[in-house]
């Protein structure tokens, strides 16, 4: 048996076209860091203000965001993660097996555009922080009006593309590095500006109890009245907003690209770091920071940009948080866009497609309108991809249970799947039709759209051949999977690395980084709990600004140094 020749067919394929090998799987800490960093992002500043503009009340925010984000975690855990771990494929590759080239290319083009624009918006957000630091005029038009702003976008974008270029490991490492600091800074920013709100509303620096805090929130942050002076959204809408915010990645199954690297299906629960710390704590903290900045500047919260809010909450560290938070989201989404592009141009490597997509993303980021329209984009993008997620869910989870044949379209060698294309189209008509008729809250439209598409696809697929059996094709598929497993086992032997023992110096560096975060939190607590009057509050706030920035520098220097040492040691083994 000539193993080299037998495995040549797999060597000629790009890595993204094969299931993830066992030796390349990651434990839950990778995903905890990845999701924490991605979902504690620059958009949280905007969404925090959005709840204020929509007129939510304090209790609705506290309870509604908790319920909605738990539902989102469960969606990743029971919908996305099982399919990702079973197949070890990205959605883009898996979809090609069940829907053929035509629909897959169309869908992948849609994802390239969606994720490129999302990444561009985050690059623009990061650039606005740098703009604020160098006193470059705010970019309020849809097009750039300052050449220095374009140069800043270019520099910020190059960093994003450079990290995304090196694949999942680089994205995970960068996210894991930033996640603890991002959470600390969002929490600290809320504690630093809460006394400013309390002084304005309660005439004291600190709410004395739960009743005071709710009263403070109802009067100055989440007042129950929207920006037009009308009654705002309630508990049900807040729950739906939090659940629907990431439908593109859980119900839409985009995060198969990330969770295919998980050792266990239960690692979908690791998304709770992003939902609880990011979409719960960070959204609430952003609302407090925005309201506090509005009091300090004498402006409405909806008139502020992320740079304003971050600076008055965190001082110079605020510029860093907007830049880093923008990067973490931009990098992850650019990685997804690169995967989608690679699935279209499968003869090219993911690195090449990521470079091209990255250059387009940087060009888009030069136009500030992409950030101002990011929330409508996310909302409609979710409804656009949910029917595709429903098709994959039906094929993978439902068909085997009702006696249908999984991958029937592939077994019939169809390049165009009429049931898949028709179901996607009908799902879009159904979902956007419900929206046009205003039948229900837009935030919940993904649920009936998902169910409707599953029913339609199951019915049509049965009519077109899914009910039939394909024993020869199934046997060939089984043999191919066994050959892939043997090929990857052979790869694992050549790529296997000894366990890395972390040196004492690296542990010291990590310890210093953790101490820097603890000191930052302590300083924030001093501002919140140690300010007896307004003068003491202002003094403590200035101290926090100064030393929090020093701690930020220490954290990134030591944490990154430790990471480099560990990577260097791995490279030598």
């Amino acid at each position: 048996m000539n193993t080299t020749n037998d495995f040549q067919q797999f060597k000629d394929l790009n890595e993204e076209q094969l299931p993830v090998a066992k030796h390349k799987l990651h434990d839950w800490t990778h995903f905890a860091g990845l999701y924490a960093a991605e979902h504690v992002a620059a958009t949280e500043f905007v969404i925090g203000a959005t709840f204020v503009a929509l007129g939510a009340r304090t209790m609705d925010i506290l309870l509604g965001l908790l319920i909605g984000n738990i539902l989102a975690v469960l969606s990743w855990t029971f919908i996305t993660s099982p399919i990702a771990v079973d197949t070890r494929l990205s959605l883009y590759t898996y979809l090609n097996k069940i829907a053929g080239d035509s629909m897959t290319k169309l869908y992948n083009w849609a994802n390239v555009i969606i994720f490129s624009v999302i990444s561009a918006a985050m690059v623009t957000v990061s650039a606005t922080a740098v703009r604020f630091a160098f006193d470059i005029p705010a970019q309020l038009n849809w097009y750039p009006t300052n050449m220095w702003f374009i140069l800043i976008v270019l520099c910020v974008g190059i960093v994003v593309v450079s990290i995304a270029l090196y694949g999942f490991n680089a994205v995970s490492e960068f996210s894991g590095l930033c996640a603890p600091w991002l959470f600390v800074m969002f929490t600290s920013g809320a504690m630093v500006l809460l006394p400013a709100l309390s002084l304005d509303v309660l005439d004291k620096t600190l709410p004395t109890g739960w009743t005071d805090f709710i009263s403070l929130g109802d009067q100055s942050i989440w007042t129950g009245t929207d920006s037009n002076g009308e009654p705002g959204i309630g508990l049900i809408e807040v729950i739906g907003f939090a659940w629907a915010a990431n439908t593109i990645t859980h119900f839409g199954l985009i995060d198969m690209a990330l969770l295919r690297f998980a050792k266990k299906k239960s690692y979908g629960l690791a998304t709770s770091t992003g939902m609880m710390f990011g979409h719960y704590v960070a959204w609430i903290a952003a609302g407090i920071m925005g309201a506090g900045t509005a009091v300090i500047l004498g402006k409405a919260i909806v008139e502020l940009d992320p740079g304003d809010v971050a600076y008055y909450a965190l001082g110079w560290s605020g510029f860093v948080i907007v830049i880093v938070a923008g990067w973490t989201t931009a990098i992850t989404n650019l990685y997804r866009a690169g995967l989608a592009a690679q699935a279209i141009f499968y003869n090219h490597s993911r690195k090449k497609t990521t470079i091209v997509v990255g250059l387009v993303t940087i060009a888009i980021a030069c136009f500030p309108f992409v950030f101002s329209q990011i929330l409508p984009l996310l909302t409609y993008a979710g409804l656009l991809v949910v029917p595709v997620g429903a098709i994959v869910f039906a094929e993978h989870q439902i068909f085997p249970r009702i006696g249908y044949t999984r991958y029937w379209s592939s077994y019939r060698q169809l390049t165009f799947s009429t049931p898949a294309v028709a179901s996607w189209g009908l799902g879009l008509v159904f979902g956007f039709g419900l929206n046009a008729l205003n039948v229900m809250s837009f935030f919940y439209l993904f649920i009936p759209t998902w169910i409707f598409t599953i029913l339609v696809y199951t019915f049509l697929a049965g009519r077109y051949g899914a009910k039939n059996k394909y024993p020869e094709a199934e046997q060939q598929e089984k043999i191919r999977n066994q050959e892939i497993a043997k090929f990857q086992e052979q790869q694992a032997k050549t790529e296997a690395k000894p366990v890395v023992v972390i040196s004492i110096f690296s542990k010291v560096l990590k310890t210093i980084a953790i101490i820097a975060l603890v000191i930052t939190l302590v300083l924030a607590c001093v501002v919140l709990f140690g300010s007896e009057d307004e003068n003491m509050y202002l003094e403590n706030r200035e101290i926090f600004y100064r030393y929090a920035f020093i701690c930020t520098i220490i954290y990134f220097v030591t944490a990154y140094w430790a990471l480099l040492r560990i990577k260097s040691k791995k490279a030598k083994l």
Side-chain angles (χ1 to χ4, degrees):
M1 176 180 177
N2 192 332
T3 305
T4 302
N5 291 335
D6 289 345
F7 290 159
Q8 188 61 45
Q9 59 175 318
F10 304 126
K11 291 180 179 179
D12 292 340
L13 292 174
N14 286 311
E15 186 179 13
E16 303 297 341
Q17 294 174 268
L18 294 174
V20 174
K22 288 183 179 180
H23 66 285
K24 294 185 178 181
L25 302 182
H26 296 280
D27 61 23
W28 69 270
T29 56
H30 279 267
F31 302 96
L34 186 67
Y35 279 96
E38 181 185 358
H39 295 285
V40 183
T43 47
E44 315 325 334
F45 287 106
V46 181
I47 294 175
T50 298
F51 284 117
V52 177
L54 291 175
R57 296 194 66 84
T58 306
M59 281 303 299
D60 292 339
I61 287 292
L62 297 178
L63 183 59
L65 290 185
L66 179 63
I67 296 173
N69 285 308
I70 289 174
L71 290 172
V73 171
L74 295 178
S75 299
W76 266 299
T77 304
F78 293 110
I79 295 177
T80 314
S81 185
I83 301 177
V85 172
D86 281 347
T87 65
R88 299 295 180 195
L89 298 172
S90 68
L91 174 64
Y92 316 111
T93 304
Y94 187 80
L95 187 62
N96 190 64
K97 294 184 67 173
I98 67 172
D101 290 337
S102 300
M103 178 178 170
T104 303
K105 287 181 179 179
L106 181 63
Y107 180 72
N108 286 334
W109 272 117
N111 277 285
V112 169
I113 295 170
I114 290 170
F115 288 122
S116 294
V117 174
I118 294 174
S119 297
M122 294 301 97
V123 171
T124 305
V125 171
S126 295
T128 59
V130 182
R131 183 275 306 167
F132 191 88
F134 288 96
D135 200 28
I136 295 171
Q139 304 297 294
L140 302 177
N141 297 317
W142 67 269
Y143 55 88
T145 58
N146 188 285
M147 288 300 299
W148 286 108
F149 178 77
I150 295 176
L151 181 61
I152 289 170
V153 169
L154 180 62
C155 294
V156 172
I158 287 173
V159 174
V160 170
V161 175
S162 298
I163 297 174
L165 197 62
Y166 290 97
F168 181 84
N169 286 337
V171 173
S172 179
E173 287 170 357
F174 182 78
S175 299
L177 179 70
C178 297
W181 179 81
L182 284 169
F183 175 64
V184 166
M185 298 312 288
F186 264 95
T187 306
S188 297
M191 290 194 287
V192 167
L193 287 190
L194 188 61
L197 279 172
S198 187
L199 281 167
D200 183 65
V201 176
L202 304 175
D203 201 28
K204 52 187 176 182
T205 58
L206 184 66
T208 54
W210 179 254
T211 303
D212 264 1
F213 178 76
I214 297 299
S215 176
L216 173 63
D218 286 340
Q219 292 183 57
S220 64
I221 312 174
W222 306 288
T223 62
T225 304
D226 65 19
S227 55
N228 296 319
E230 300 292 331
I233 62 175
L235 176 66
I236 299 300
E237 287 79 11
V238 174
I239 294 172
F241 189 109
W243 192 10
N246 288 100
T247 49
I248 190 172
T249 54
H250 48 69
F251 268 75
L253 298 180
I254 293 296
D255 270 3
M256 282 177 63
L258 302 180
L259 290 170
R260 64 192 171 130
F261 288 91
K263 289 182 178 179
K264 299 178 181 179
K265 298 175 183 179
S266 60
Y267 288 3
L269 293 171
T271 60
S272 59
T273 59
M275 294 301 98
M276 294 299 108
F277 296 149
H279 288 189
Y280 188 70
V281 173
W283 281 356
I284 293 172
I288 295 172
M289 286 190 282
T293 302
V295 167
I296 294 172
L297 296 179
K299 294 182 179 181
I301 189 172
V302 292
E303 297 175 3
L304 305 174
D305 68 16
D308 292 320
V309 175
Y311 176 75
Y312 284 97
L314 301 165
W316 280 94
S317 296
F319 296 132
V320 182
I321 194 174
V322 174
I323 294 170
V324 170
W327 278 350
T328 54
T329 303
I331 290 166
T332 307
N333 283 292
L334 184 59
Y335 173 68
R336 292 184 178 119
L339 281 178
Q342 196 273 331
I344 298 170
F345 304 102
Y346 51 84
N347 290 325
H348 298 277
S349 68
R350 186 195 55 80
K351 285 189 176 182
K352 289 182 179 179
T353 58
T354 301
I355 290 174
V356 175
V357 171
L359 292 175
V360 174
T361 297
I362 293 173
I364 297 172
C366 292
F367 295 85
F369 81 93
V370 293
F371 173 62
S372 62
Q373 299 300 316
I374 187 63
L375 290 181
L377 171 68
L378 290 174
T379 305
Y380 286 105
L383 194 57
L384 182 67
V385 303
V386 158
V388 177
I391 291 168
V392 173
F393 182 86
E395 181 96 16
H396 191 82
Q397 301 286 33
I398 296 177
F399 280 17
R401 290 171 169 80
I402 62 175
Y404 283 21
T405 301
R406 189 188 289 169
Y407 312 138
W408 65 273
S409 179
S410 175
Y411 296 158
R412 292 189 60 189
Q413 298 181 346
L414 300 178
T415 58
F416 183 89
S417 172
T418 300
V421 175
S423 299
W424 188 14
L426 290 172
L428 293 179
V429 171
F430 179 80
F432 285 99
L434 290 179
N435 181 51
L437 295 173
N438 198 25
V439 173
M440 59 190 297
S441 171
F442 182 83
F443 303 129
Y444 291 97
L445 285 178
F446 70 94
I447 299 175
T449 300
W450 188 71
I451 295 172
F452 173 82
T453 308
I454 287 175
L455 295 174
V456 170
Y457 180 67
T458 302
F459 172 75
L460 292 178
R463 297 289 297 271
Y464 276 78
K467 289 182 180 180
N468 301 331
K469 301 299 180 183
Y470 306 87
E472 291 184 7
E474 289 179 327
Q475 182 62 25
Q476 290 176 1
E477 176 80 7
K478 184 178 179 181
I479 293 172
R480 185 175 185 274
N481 289 335
Q482 291 172 347
E483 290 176 346
I484 291 174
K486 291 178 182 178
F487 167 68
Q488 291 177 334
E489 286 176 7
Q490 186 184 69
Q491 277 189 318
K493 293 177 182 178
T494 60
E495 298 177 9
K497 300 289 185 180
V499 177
V500 177
V501 178
I502 300 176
S503 67
I504 295 177
F505 184 58
S506 296
K507 292 180 179 179
V508 169
L509 289 173
K510 282 189 166 185
T511 302
I512 293 173
I514 293 172
I515 291 173
L517 295 182
V518 172
I519 291 174
T520 302
L521 278 175
V522 170
L523 290 170
C525 288
V526 169
V527 177
L528 180 61
F529 299 108
S531 302
E532 296 179 1
D533 53 41
E534 184 174 3
N535 290 332
M536 186 175 289
Y537 165 63
L538 295 175
E539 181 180 341
N540 287 338
R541 195 173 76 190
E542 288 300 320
I543 292 173
F544 172 83
Y545 288 164
R546 185 182 313 120
Y547 290 103
F549 184 60
I550 294 173
C551 287
T552 290
I553 295 173
I554 293 173
Y555 172 78
F556 278 106
V557 169
T558 54
Y560 185 61
W561 192 357
L563 179 62
L564 284 180
R565 284 180 58 83
I566 294 171
K567 289 185 67 177
S568 176
K569 192 165 185 178
K570 285 181 179 180
K572 293 177 181 178
L573 294 174

